[in-house]
Amino acid sequence: MVGSSHEALHRIFQKDPELLTRALQRVLHVPFPRPTEIAALNVDLTEIEPVERRVDTLLRAETDEGTYLLVVESQGKADERKRGSWPYYLSYLYEKYRCEPVLIVITQSSSTAKWASRPIRLGFPGWHSLSVRPLVLGPDNVPVITDEKQAEADPTLAVLSAMTHGRGPGAMAILESLASALRTIDSDSAAVFAQFVDSCLVDPQAKQMWRDLMTAVQYFWRHPLAEQVREEGREQGRIQNQQEMTLRVLEWRGIPVPDAVRERVMACEDLDQLELWAQRAVHATDAAELFADE
């Protein structure tokens, strides 16, 4: 099961490798040649020295004009150390594979996209020994897809749209159009895309919207993500029961429960902590004793 946006990106590009080259052509207007073959490569760039360097996704694209390496980085925020590693990645990959590397950065943040798109120049000013120009896909250049027919025409691009724009007031329309598009493709691909979107949505409200949309789709509930959703629901139920039981014990024993105590108990989602408070509630003479020694 996809556990992070990085792994999710890797999975989606394995599912539809040409999504990257289409994005370069249609979003960034880079005249990248149409691949005749794309293969996933090992993302580990670690050398003999004990320094680990790993890219998020690495694909080899065979075209009529030559072979290219597509180096994909998912970037959540500005990170100068990460940015400093990009020239190393490209140089190492060129030396190892002897074909041209292309750096592609994907982000959900406009400010991060602006930061990532700045050229990296190493060497003497005006005579740089090395210059790196990342190609950046982000909320300012990936199209917002809210039309169902447009999403159905290119579901993978609709997934990319949901990833970069799936938050804020427009999220519902984007997610609804994508949900409609997923019903038109095979269930295995739809399940992978559904899981990918779920892992990439950082806005809790948007994530819940997406899960609500997916509950009506039968294939979703046969997918491992569905079990994750059900388990989260069961966990939340156990937490709520423990919260309510702790307060009920105090009330049954006739001990006043101030609002501050009630709010603190209901805000806690640590089952072990709640169990300790419930045990203390059995013997406490004052509600504040729940938090003794804390």
Side-chain angles (χ1 to χ4, degrees), residues 134-150:
L135 297 170
V136 181
L137 294 167
D140 294 330
N141 54 20
V142 173
V144 176
I145 298 180
T146 58
D147 180 76
E148 291 184 4
K149 291 184 178 179
Q150 187 180 1

Side-chain angles (χ1 to χ4, degrees), residues 1 219-231:
M1 183 172 65
Y219 67 74
F220 175 77
W221 294 108
R222 297 196 301 270
H223 195 270
L225 177 59
E227 181 56 35
Q228 175 189 338
V229 174
R230 287 193 289 266
E231 179 57 33

Side-chain angles (χ1 to χ4, degrees), residues 18-283:
E18 289 193 22
L19 172 62
L20 273 177
T21 56
R22 292 203 308 276
L24 294 182
Q25 295 163 353
R26 296 171 54 182
V27 178
L28 298 180
H29 306 293
V30 174
F32 194 89
R34 185 181 184 280
T36 56
E37 179 184 348
I38 293 184
L41 303 178
N42 190 340
V43 299
D44 193 345
L45 309 185
T46 306
E47 297 184 88
I48 296 176
E49 291 82 356
V51 177
E52 182 177 340
R53 300 182 187 273
R54 188 179 297 272
V55 297
D56 293 335
T57 299
L58 179 61
L59 303 171
R60 184 184 65 239
E62 302 287 352
T63 76
D64 292 336
E65 299 177 22
T67 301
Y68 295 89
L69 296 177
L70 304 179
V71 185
V72 186
E73 288 285 274
S74 174
Q75 197 68 34
K77 61 182 180 180
D79 182 346
E80 289 301 327
R81 290 190 62 185
K82 187 68 171 179
R83 179 179 168 85
S85 66
W86 291 341
Y88 167 83
Y89 292 168
L90 302 182
S91 300
Y92 175 87
L93 290 169
Y94 180 78
E95 174 64 23
K96 181 175 182 178
Y97 293 101
R98 288 295 171 176
C99 51
E100 301 295 337
V102 179
L103 176 61
I104 303 166
V105 179
I106 299 179
T107 181
Q108 301 179 41
S109 164
S110 295
S111 60
T112 302
K114 183 177 181 180
W115 164 83
S117 64
R118 299 200 317 263
I120 303 170
R121 298 187 176 94
L122 305 179
F124 190 76
W127 192 271
H128 301 102
S129 301
L130 178 64
S131 181
V132 177
R133 293 183 60 194
L135 297 170
V136 181
L137 294 167
D140 294 330
N141 54 20
V142 173
V144 176
I145 298 180
T146 58
D147 180 76
E148 291 184 4
K149 291 184 178 179
Q150 187 180 1
E152 292 170 6
D154 196 340
T156 49
L157 191 58
V159 168
L160 195 59
S161 174
M163 189 204 80
T164 53
H165 301 285
R167 54 184 172 184
M172 191 61 183
I174 295 170
L175 297 176
E176 283 182 335
S177 65
L178 176 57
S180 176
L182 294 187
R183 296 188 183 96
T184 66
I185 63 178
D186 68 276
S187 59
D188 288 340
S189 297
V192 170
F193 289 161
Q195 189 179 15
F196 166 71
V197 172
D198 186 89
S199 67
C200 289
L201 290 173
V202 295
D203 182 341
Q205 185 175 4
K207 186 185 287 284
Q208 188 58 52
M209 286 181 192
W210 181 243
R211 291 184 172 184
D212 290 343
L213 287 169
M214 290 294 97
T215 55
V217 185
Q218 290 185 351
Y219 67 74
F220 175 77
W221 294 108
R222 297 196 301 270
H223 195 270
L225 177 59
E227 181 56 35
Q228 175 189 338
V229 174
R230 287 193 289 266
E231 179 57 33
E232 288 176 359
R234 289 192 290 266
E235 178 75 5
Q236 191 59 42
R238 289 193 291 268
I239 290 172
Q240 184 174 350
N241 287 339
Q242 194 72 39
Q243 291 168 336
E244 293 173 352
M245 185 182 73
T246 301
L247 297 174
R248 279 200 302 269
V249 169
L250 292 173
E251 291 168 352
W252 289 339
R253 298 183 60 237
I255 297 175
V257 181
D259 289 343
V261 171
R262 185 178 302 275
E263 290 171 3
R264 182 169 177 181
V265 170
M266 296 304 295
C268 179
E269 296 189 350
D270 184 331
L271 274 171
D272 292 337
Q273 182 66 70
L274 288 168
E275 184 176 349
L276 175 61
W277 289 347
Q279 292 170 358
R280 289 176 176 173
V282 174
H283 304 287

Side-chain angles (χ1 to χ4, degrees), residues 280-291:
R280 289 176 176 173
V282 174
H283 304 287
T285 57
D286 185 279
E289 292 179 18
L290 296 184
F291 316 127

